[in-house]
Amino acid sequence: MTLKGKAHKYGSNINTDEIIPARYLNTSDAAELAKHCMEDLDRDFMKKMKKGDFIVAESNFGCGSSREHAPISIKAAGVSAVIAKSFARIFFRNAINIGLPILECAEAVKKIKSGDAIEVNLATGAIKNITRSETYQAQAFPEFMQQIIAKGGLLEYIKTR
Amino acid sequence: MPQTISEKILAAHAGKKAVRPGEFIEPKVDLALGNDVTAPLAIKEFRQVGAKKVFDRKKVALVMDHFTPNKDINSAEQVKFVREFAHGQKIVNYFEGSNVGVEHALLPEKGLVLPGDLVIGADSHTCTYGALGAFATGVGSTDLAAAMITGRLWIKVPATIKFVYKGKLQKWVGGKDLILYTIGRIGVDGALYQSMEFTGPVIEKLPMPDRFTMANMAIEAGGKNGIIAPDKITSDYVSKRAARKYKFYSSDIGAEYADVIEIDCSKITPQVSLPFLPSNAKAVTDLGSIAIDQVVIGSCTNGRIEDLRLAARLLKGKKANPRVRLLIIPATPLIYTQMVKEGLIDIFLAAGAIVSPPTCGPCLGGHMGILAAGERCVATTNRNFVGRMGHVKSEVYLASPAVAAASAVKGRIAHPEELK
């Protein structure tokens, strides 16, 4: 599957309070959560992002709380994938479990600038920077996680067993 | 093959003799926890896949602590949704209203999490129970849904970093200062995907509440779990609370560690983590004058009776600075009762404090003490991210109950010695 969109670049340690503040956690409605995606980090995020765009961030993306509302709001906002140098561990699990594509690739993060046109092949982990005519290779997921991803999430994976 | 305590607990729950870091396993869980923020999502997913019954109604705990007493219609609806599920499933350990306390103080107090357990919780501070010698880790709502159905968790066995705490603890220095200092040293992703094992002569003498505080904040260094080998201090705590059997595990001599970090505690003085990361730890004495508007003493990190006693000792006969709102939040109903019995509440009220019912409330910017733009708060909580306790332009300074109490009186960040 190929994903296409523009990059929105952020720094290190983007935490779940910035991705979806707790004042909105009195609901678990995905569309409602999407309205406030990244609100405390970048008030204009939902205005400037277009469906299919990518979030690109430095290390430890999604640190802090276990709220699955964070990857849910990103997914429901229409972000096609998050590319980071590394992810906080609970965010990482949650993204795999709910089927939000995430990619770990230090080189991509180093070279991609905000606004670059990006194309990602999820099957191979190839990240193409169309603006700069470069290609970066994301780390492959371990086989166990690939099985969950292939089923479209943890609960579907459990169901088939 | 020598193993760490975390590896042994994971292996035992996966039905294996041994596990190695990097290995994927699907161990059985002894308890799966959810709260009023995370359980509604898990229940929705539970139903969406057509699940009918939880794997074991005694091994699921649902604690409605985050927005209690329910702050608005939506949060009341969320609790109602979970309550109906809990009643329908005959969940034994469902807590709300007058029974509810902050989950990570409540479950150990009730003896529901025990040494040797594998506990998962859809709350990042689930790692608190590692203080009892359990393997406890925070997960998301989908993980909770899966565990409620299958009784299992998927997990990559973490490598372990061993922390050795040596030297003599200075006056006013406790578990909170040790963990803030540690996170300051290794960074908010210093233990990413890894287990943090707290050891050494200082830990061996450290009281149970301080151990809870340390394990509680393992997640703030990115850790999968924080763990302390159980001993006499642990058994004194659990033996009177446990309603089932438990097991003490310990790391083998020769177990492999990703890193060993020695910390000389003699050099550590009371710490404060400045905005906006828990790793911005500094000695109070290096800070200069930082005026504050609010103090919060409570949370799963520092809302235990010992924390309140420490605060009361400092506040006795004193008044909070008139420009500071001082909030005291006992973490559980039992702690609240004890606070009243011991007369601590009189000291707090005389000092001008607001005494809140048990709740996570302000810690996550939920309710009961939200900050306006430009306001500063010293809190005994665990996170000081942008907007954590309110407006994006407000600030949270993390500290021990002793520093928080001293700061409330002085109206600025203060060292406990300054109250003399």
Side-chain angles (χ1 to χ4, degrees):
Chain A
M1 192 171 129
T2 307
L3 310 169
K4 279 184 190 175
K6 282 204 159 60
H8 300 269
K9 203 167 170 189
Y10 298 102
S12 283
N13 305 315
I14 305 304
N15 62 73
T16 52
D17 283 283
E18 292 170 312
I19 299 169
I20 184 79
R23 58 184 177 274
Y24 304 121
L25 297 186
N26 57 5
T27 179
S28 56
D29 181 70
E32 191 56 37
L33 293 169
K35 286 185 200 163
H36 306 290
C37 184
M38 308 292 270
E39 188 172 295
D40 279 2
L41 178 69
D42 179 354
R43 236 161 224 288
D44 298 325
F45 178 76
M46 287 307 290
K47 280 184 213 147
K48 61 190 187 199
M49 73 87 57
K50 291 203 175 65
K51 200 171 155 45
D53 282 359
F54 297 88
I55 291 173
V56 180
E58 300 282 335
S59 56
N60 202 28
F61 184 86
C63 63
S65 125
S66 69
R67 61 189 74 156
E68 212 159 281
H69 311 66
I72 288 173
S73 77
I74 293 173
K75 195 180 173 190
V79 171
S80 59
V82 184
I83 302 167
K85 283 185 182 165
S86 63
F87 291 88
R89 56 161 294 274
I90 306 179
F91 185 93
F92 186 100
R93 296 185 69 87
N94 288 345
I96 301 277
N97 285 344
I98 69 159
L100 168 70
I102 52 173
L103 297 117
E104 279 187 341
C105 183
E107 197 200 356
V109 174
K110 215 167 129 190
K111 302 214 170 133
I112 293 172
K113 300 260 185 299
S114 255
D116 284 3
I118 306 295
E119 200 177 293
V120 166
N121 182 330
L122 277 186
T124 63
I127 302 167
K128 215 156 132 187
N129 188 334
I130 296 163
T131 307
R132 294 172 205 283
S133 309
E134 293 172 339
T135 303
Y136 328 108
Q137 183 59 45
Q139 267 181 42
F141 287 112
E143 202 196 313
F144 180 86
M145 285 186 210
Q146 283 184 25
Q147 288 174 27
I148 297 177
I149 295 165
K151 295 283 180 206
L154 180 63
L155 291 176
E156 290 303 314
Y157 169 78
I158 285 171
K159 226 163 101 179
T160 54
R161 287 201 317 168
Chain B
M1 186 166 56
Q3 291 194 95
T4 66
I5 177 170
S6 292
E7 288 157 7
K8 283 184 184 175
I9 297 171
L10 288 174
H13 287 78
K16 292 179 163 218
K17 276 218 170 85
V19 294
R20 303 309 290 165
E23 189 179 331
F24 281 89
I25 53 170
E26 292 180 78
K28 286 183 184 167
V29 304
D30 295 301
L31 192 77
L33 159 75
N35 59 46
D36 47 330
V37 169
T38 59
L41 266 174
I43 294 164
K44 276 192 203 168
E45 293 181 80
F46 179 93
R47 289 188 177 142
Q48 215 161 12
V49 290
K52 294 279 180 283
K53 248 179 102 181
V54 297
F55 80 106
D56 186 333
R57 66 191 189 92
K58 289 182 191 144
K59 293 185 176 176
V60 175
L62 299 170
V63 185
M64 305 296 100
D65 59 352
H66 273 55
F67 297 138
T68 188
N70 297 331
K71 69 160 178 163
D72 56 16
I73 295 168
N74 278 352
S75 49
E77 292 290 346
Q78 290 201 131
V79 170
K80 183 182 162 198
F81 180 72
V82 180
R83 180 193 310 131
E84 285 169 359
F85 174 81
H87 289 172
Q89 294 285 330
K90 298 189 167 63
I91 302 285
V92 179
N93 296 303
Y94 172 76
F95 303 97
E96 82 159 276
S98 61
N99 294 320
V100 86
V102 176
E103 50 198 342
H104 309 308
L106 187 73
L107 299 190
E109 178 188 280
K110 294 200 168 288
L112 294 173
V113 288
L114 294 169
D117 278 358
L118 174 59
V119 182
I120 65 148
D123 187 277
S124 58
H125 294 108
T126 300
C127 51
T128 310
Y129 317 131
L132 295 166
F135 186 99
T137 190
V139 297
S141 294
T142 300
D143 283 311
L144 173 61
M148 287 199 299
I149 299 166
T150 65
R152 289 179 184 271
L153 165 81
W154 71 266
I155 190 169
K156 188 165 97 172
V157 177
T160 299
I161 304 175
K162 182 176 178 175
F163 295 84
V164 188
Y165 295 86
K166 292 180 171 169
K168 193 172 176 291
L169 278 190
Q170 291 195 31
K171 197 180 174 191
W172 303 116
V173 173
K176 185 61 164 284
D177 306 288
L178 295 184
I179 193 65
L180 292 180
Y181 178 88
T182 304
I183 298 165
R185 191 147 148 191
I186 67 171
V188 286
D189 59 354
L192 193 59
Y193 308 137
Q194 297 178 90
S195 170
M196 298 172 82
E197 189 174 319
F198 305 116
T199 72
V202 170
I203 301 296
E204 284 160 24
K205 280 191 233 145
L206 201 65
M208 215 47 235
D210 294 78
R211 293 183 181 187
F212 281 124
T213 304
M214 290 189 73
N216 173 270
M217 289 192 72
I219 181 68
E220 309 314 332
K224 194 167 272 192
N225 69 319
I227 196 162
I228 294 171
D231 56 14
K232 171 85 171 40
I233 291 172
T234 324
S235 73
D236 286 348
Y237 182 89
V238 294
S239 60
K240 53 183 182 264
R241 295 176 159 89
R244 56 185 167 87
K245 279 188 185 165
Y246 51 88
K247 194 170 171 185
F248 280 14
Y249 291 90
S250 59
S251 293
D252 293 324
I253 294 163
E256 277 180 38
Y257 291 96
D259 202 356
V260 178
I261 297 173
E262 288 198 8
I263 292 174
D264 180 3
C265 300
S266 315
K267 291 179 186 152
I268 301 175
T269 58
Q271 301 282 302
V272 168
S273 284
L274 309 186
F276 290 101
L277 287 175
S279 55
N280 292 334
K282 301 272 185 297
V284 173
T285 46
D286 289 345
L287 287 182
S289 183
I290 299 174
I292 56 167
D293 306 279
Q294 179 166 301
V295 167
V296 171
I297 300 177
S299 86
C300 57
T301 316
N302 282 116
R304 297 179 182 82
I305 190 66
E306 294 81 358
D307 299 312
L308 301 189
R309 283 179 192 143
L310 177 57
R313 216 170 94 205
L314 284 154
L315 290 169
K316 192 168 185 180
K318 300 205 169 52
K319 286 250 179 236
N321 186 291
R323 53 178 296 250
V324 174
R325 299 178 298 272
L326 169 60
L327 276 92
I328 311 265
I329 314 176
T332 70
L334 191 67
I335 296 168
Y336 199 118
T337 308
Q338 191 68 21
M339 169 188 75
V340 173
K341 264 191 201 160
E342 294 181 16
L344 308 181
I345 193 167
D346 302 318
I347 295 170
F348 295 144
L349 293 175
I354 303 159
V355 182
S356 154
T359 182
C360 299
C363 172
L364 75 158
H367 66 158
M368 303 278 222
I370 303 302
L371 301 175
E375 287 192 326
R376 294 200 190 103
C377 176
V378 173
T380 66
T381 58
N382 43 52
R383 286 194 180 126
N384 55 355
F385 297 149
V386 171
R388 173 72 177 176
M389 204 175 271
H391 196 278
V392 286
K393 292 212 166 83
S394 62
E395 296 180 349
V396 176
Y397 293 74
L398 305 175
S400 70
V403 170
S407 303
V409 173
K410 290 288 176 188
R412 57 169 170 79
I413 296 177
H415 193 290
E417 279 301 315
E418 294 184 55
L419 287 199
K420 285 283 165 75

